[in-house]
Amino acid sequence: MRGLALRWLTLTFAIVLASYLLDGVRVSGFFSALGAAAMLGILNAFFRPIALILTLPINILTFGLFTFVINAVMLKMASGVISGFEVHGFWTAVFGALIIGLVSFALNTLVDESGRVDIIDLKHRGGNRWE
């Protein structure tokens, strides 16, 4: 349960960061970002697999780049449902989904299944040896 809450907060942080970096993404407050993260998680859990299967031929033809369009559509759908979270324009949604995806991926790699943050601290022991 702790892992789910931590991943939810990382997605919330990614949405807030995307709103700071892009003019077309607006979040009115922390709770709007929290709701947007929850809605985006629900949409990605239920509708994204169906969309990926339905668009598989075009996704294969574009070497997977159409996945960015699917992520942008999910982001626009979340902005339509959550008040206080707005995404204006298609390209803003594409770049916003890219930023949100990259940031949440980078932060979620640090979280294990039990919800602990794992950071590997390597020390150089000489030559090619790291511990």
Side-chain angles (χ1 to χ4, degrees):
M1 190 66 169
R2 183 177 171 204
L4 178 68
L6 200 53
R7 291 181 202 281
W8 188 13
L9 286 175
T10 59
L11 185 58
T12 303
F13 174 75
I15 289 172
V16 170
L17 183 67
S19 72
Y20 281 119
L21 294 176
L22 297 173
D23 288 334
V25 179
R26 291 190 180 84
V27 178
S28 65
F30 176 73
F31 291 109
S32 295
L34 205 61
M39 182 55 63
L40 198 57
I42 291 169
L43 289 173
N44 282 335
F46 292 111
F47 293 119
R48 188 171 185 262
I50 296 168
L52 286 173
I53 290 171
L54 290 176
T55 61
L56 188 62
I58 194 165
N59 219 345
I60 291 172
L61 286 175
T62 60
F63 300 109
L65 292 176
F66 194 75
T67 306
F68 292 122
V69 174
I70 293 171
N71 290 342
V73 169
M74 294 296 148
L75 190 63
K76 288 286 285 179
M77 287 172 65
S79 74
V81 173
I82 301 298
S83 63
F85 176 61
E86 300 171 359
V87 178
H88 299 287
F90 173 74
W91 289 108
T92 303
V94 170
F95 290 124
L98 182 64
I99 291 170
I100 291 168
L102 287 174
V103 170
S104 66
F105 172 76
L107 292 176
N108 283 330
T109 56
L110 302 175
V111 179
D112 66 359
E113 290 82 24
S114 65
R116 291 189 353 220
V117 177
D118 286 338
I119 299 174
I120 300 172
D121 187 23
L122 295 176
K123 296 194 180 3
H124 190 258
R125 300 292 182 194
N128 288 334
R129 202 170 128 203
W130 289 85
E131 292 181 6

